[in-house]
């Protein structure tokens, strides 16, 4: 059997909003799944009007905040507040392989569309629920009913406690990290469930918690606390090895490096022309280098300041020291390596024109390049899906539109 994409033939219903759900299903769509995004009639999901915005001569608007996480999907409008809308959704469930849902903690139960109901309609259904703090009753915790956004989760999972100056406040680092990492974890779980279904014939419920995901991302901090009793936080990262972190160079730019062990330390010393420091009692291992930073810092600083960004990177790389420049988003968009890796995808949108997006970050030798279809207009595929999946005729769909069901 010839397959262009690994998820070819897999049908996904997406009851999603904001980032975590949409990013997860976008990865599935990039790899061949047919993703049907269920949205409220006339309104759509909240990110449909997220900036930045591009407007064409006719006044039509394309919102980058929505385009970012919704390429290669289909949009169906359906009013789940009405019983007829819920009945259509249940009909779609009969044909679906996967549901990805990240609505509020109590919304799905109020609608009567929870997994326990849907699995009776389709026992092969895989239902992935993304929430801030988890859904399953047997794992219910004190935060389970709370709503959550990305900075809340980053803060509670200890991520923000790592970012900033030692005597300064915690800082919000990468916006959306909790959503994005959870979306990948959820996608991984969906693939595991699909693999299990091939063997058992049964679907299952996936309980994906943003808090759990970022706690696992903080695994090193948890281990260090357990082994050493040390709370790794702002200003404490360099307790075991040095040099590490970011360093300003002569042209005002910054580079990042980590001398992770004594093999790298020898290479670093050769690169800066100070082989005498390899066995110096003040610098011979990571712990003493940390203790003698007042001695070592001026040496490193002087060498860095005498060189440009490119020179520092070139000279350290030549000796096998891992180092890289601190790059901006503009640097990424123009990066020749990313272009060679085909990591940047150009999508031609009818309103915004050609725009650049980051692509799914892996390559498979037996898989075609991901499609480059722009995010769908609200309800763009309602008729084709209701016709193709459920066999509805135009008269029925017209009546549903008049009644505000679709």
């Amino acid at each position: 059997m010839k397959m262009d994409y690994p998820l070819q033939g897999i049908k996904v219903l997406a009851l999603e909003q904001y980032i975590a759900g949409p990013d997860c299903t976008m990865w599935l769509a990039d790899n061949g799944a047919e993703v049907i995004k269920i949205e409220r009639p006339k309104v759509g999901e909240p990110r449909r009007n997220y900036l930045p915005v591009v407007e064409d001569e006719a006044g039509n608007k394309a919102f980058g905040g929505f385009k970012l996480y919704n390429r290669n999907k289909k949009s169906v409008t359906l009013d789940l507040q009405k019983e007829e809308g819920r009945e259509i959704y249940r009909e779609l469930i009969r044909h679906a392989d996967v549901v990805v849902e990240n609505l509020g903690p109590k919304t799905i139960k109020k609608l009567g569309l929870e997994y326990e109901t849907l699995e009776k309609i389709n026992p092969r259904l895989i239902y992935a629920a993304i929430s801030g703090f988890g859904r399953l009753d047997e794992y219910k915790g004190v935060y389970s009913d709370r709503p959550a956004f990305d900075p809340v989760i980053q803060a509670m999972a200890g991520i923000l406690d790592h970012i900033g100056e030692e005597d300064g406040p915690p800082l919000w680092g990468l916006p959306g990290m909790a959503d994005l990492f959870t979306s990948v974890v959820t996608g991984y779980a969906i693939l595991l469930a699909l693999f299990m279904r091939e063997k058992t014939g049964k679907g299952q419920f996936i309980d994906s918690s943003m808090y759990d995901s970022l706690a696992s991302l903080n695994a090193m901090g948890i281990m260090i606390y357990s082994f050493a009793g040390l709370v790794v936080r702002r200003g404490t990262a360099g307790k075991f090895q040095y040099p590490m972190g970011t360093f300003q160079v002569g042209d005002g730019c910054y580079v990042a490096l980590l001398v992770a062990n004594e093999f790298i330390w020898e290479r670093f010393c050769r690169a800066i022309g100070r082989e005498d420091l390899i066995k110096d009692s003040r610098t011979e291992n990571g712990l003493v280098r940390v203790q003698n930073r007042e001695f070592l810092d001026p040496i490193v600083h002087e060498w860095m300041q005498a060189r440009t960004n490119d020179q520092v990177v070139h000279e350290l790389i030549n000796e096998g020291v891992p180092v890289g420049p601190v790059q901006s988003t503009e640097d990424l968009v123009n990066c020749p390596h990313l272009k060679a890796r085909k990591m940047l995808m150009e999508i031609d949108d009818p309103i915004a024109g050609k725009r650049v997006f980051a692509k799914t970050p892996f390559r498979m030798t037996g898989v075609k390049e991901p499609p480059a279809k722009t995010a769908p207009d609200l309800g763009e595929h309602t008729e084709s899906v209701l016709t193709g999946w459920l066999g509805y005729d135009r008269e029925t769909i017209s009546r549903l539109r008049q009644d505000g069901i679709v």
Side-chain angles (χ1 to χ4, degrees):
M1 176 182 177
K2 184 179 184 301
M3 291 184 69
D4 292 327
Y5 300 102
L7 296 179
Q8 199 169 305
I10 297 297
K11 295 181 176 181
V12 179
L13 294 179
L15 275 181
E16 60 184 20
Q17 57 185 350
Y18 298 110
I19 299 177
D23 186 63
C24 175
T25 60
M26 184 181 72
W27 282 48
L28 301 179
D30 278 358
N31 287 281
E34 182 182 9
V35 175
I36 309 300
K37 186 178 181 73
I38 306 295
E39 300 188 75
R40 290 175 293 173
K42 299 181 180 179
V43 178
E45 73 126 302
R47 279 190 71 91
R48 273 201 172 267
N49 296 319
Y50 266 43
L51 299 175
V53 62
V54 173
E55 189 171 346
D56 66 12
E57 294 180 356
N60 300 306
K61 296 179 180 180
F63 288 87
F66 179 76
K67 301 288 183 183
L68 177 58
Y69 301 116
N70 289 286
R71 65 175 177 255
N72 295 325
K73 301 181 188 180
K74 298 177 180 179
S75 171
V76 168
T77 49
L78 197 56
D79 189 349
L80 297 179
Q81 298 297 325
K82 298 177 179 178
E83 177 53 36
E84 190 168 6
R86 293 193 290 273
E87 181 54 36
I88 294 172
Y89 180 73
R90 288 189 284 265
E91 287 186 57
L92 292 170
I93 286 293
R94 296 182 189 278
H95 302 273
D97 295 287
V98 178
V99 168
V100 175
E101 174 260 302
N102 71 320
L103 304 184
K106 298 180 180 179
T107 303
I108 287 298
K109 283 192 175 182
K110 288 180 181 178
L111 293 173
L113 298 175
E114 64 270 28
Y115 172 70
E116 291 76 13
T117 299
L118 301 182
E119 71 166 331
K120 295 173 184 175
I121 300 171
N122 180 358
R124 289 175 56 83
L125 182 70
I126 293 162
Y127 190 114
I130 301 173
S131 62
F133 301 98
R135 291 273 186 87
L136 286 171
D137 287 340
E138 55 263 47
Y139 297 100
K140 193 175 182 65
V142 294
Y143 305 142
S144 293
D145 293 330
R146 290 188 182 184
F149 274 141
D150 175 81
V152 174
I153 297 297
Q154 288 201 43
M156 295 181 67
I159 304 300
L160 300 194
D161 198 38
H162 287 267
I163 305 171
E165 299 294 331
E166 186 170 8
D167 57 352
L171 300 176
W172 188 17
L174 179 67
M177 182 171 67
D179 294 288
L180 297 172
F181 185 62
T182 305
S183 83
V184 176
V185 170
T186 306
Y188 173 64
I190 289 169
L191 298 185
L192 294 178
L194 285 169
F195 184 76
M196 286 184 69
R197 193 180 71 175
E198 289 298 305
K199 298 178 180 297
T200 67
K202 296 180 180 180
Q204 60 183 295
F205 182 79
I206 296 169
D207 180 12
S208 185
S209 157
M210 294 168 66
Y211 189 38
D212 292 356
S213 293
L214 255 64
S216 74
L217 200 59
N218 205 355
M220 183 177 292
I222 292 171
M223 178 277 293
I224 291 174
Y225 180 77
S226 176
F227 272 69
L230 175 66
V231 177
V232 179
R233 58 194 312 267
R234 300 182 302 286
T236 66
K239 292 293 185 183
F240 303 106
Q241 292 291 347
Y242 195 76
M244 67 176 298
T246 58
F247 298 84
Q248 189 173 36
V249 298
D251 56 8
C253 298
Y254 287 83
V255 298
L257 65 89
L258 167 61
V259 176
N261 52 52
E262 307 330 314
F263 300 110
I264 303 299
W265 173 240
E266 289 187 22
R267 298 172 186 176
F268 182 81
C269 290
R270 286 197 298 269
I272 68 172
R274 292 297 303 269
E275 287 94 337
D276 59 298
L277 296 176
I278 295 174
K279 296 300 182 182
D280 189 303
S281 61
R282 294 166 294 183
T283 58
E284 63 183 354
N285 63 59
L287 286 175
V288 298
R289 288 194 295 274
V290 170
Q291 295 164 3
N292 290 288
R293 281 189 58 173
E294 290 185 3
F295 164 72
L296 186 56
D297 273 346
I299 297 172
V300 175
H301 178 77
E302 181 181 357
W303 186 84
M304 294 280 186
Q305 286 294 308
R307 288 159 179 80
T308 66
N309 194 331
D310 288 344
Q311 288 173 331
V312 168
V313 170
H314 176 74
E315 292 181 31
L316 290 176
I317 289 291
N318 266 359
E319 292 293 341
V321 178
V323 63
V326 177
Q327 298 193 132
S328 68
T329 306
E330 183 179 10
D331 295 326
L332 296 182
V333 172
N334 294 290
C335 177
H337 182 81
L338 291 180
K339 289 180 179 178
R341 293 282 302 163
K342 295 185 178 181
M343 183 56 212
L344 302 176
M345 170 188 288
E346 186 175 79
I347 296 179
D348 194 356
D349 184 84
I351 297 172
K354 293 181 178 179
R355 302 288 164 169
V356 176
F357 297 85
K359 193 187 292 184
T360 312
F362 55 83
R363 306 290 168 259
M364 298 174 66
T365 57
V367 176
K368 290 175 62 176
E369 285 292 310
K373 297 178 183 177
T374 191
D377 292 335
L378 180 61
E380 180 181 344
H381 304 93
T382 300
E383 185 169 335
S384 64
V385 170
L386 294 184
T387 300
W389 282 39
L390 305 181
Y392 284 19
D393 57 34
R394 289 188 176 181
E395 290 183 2
T396 301
I397 296 172
S398 178
R399 194 266 304 168
L400 291 170
R401 289 192 193 282
Q402 290 176 1
D403 293 345
I405 305 300
V406 301

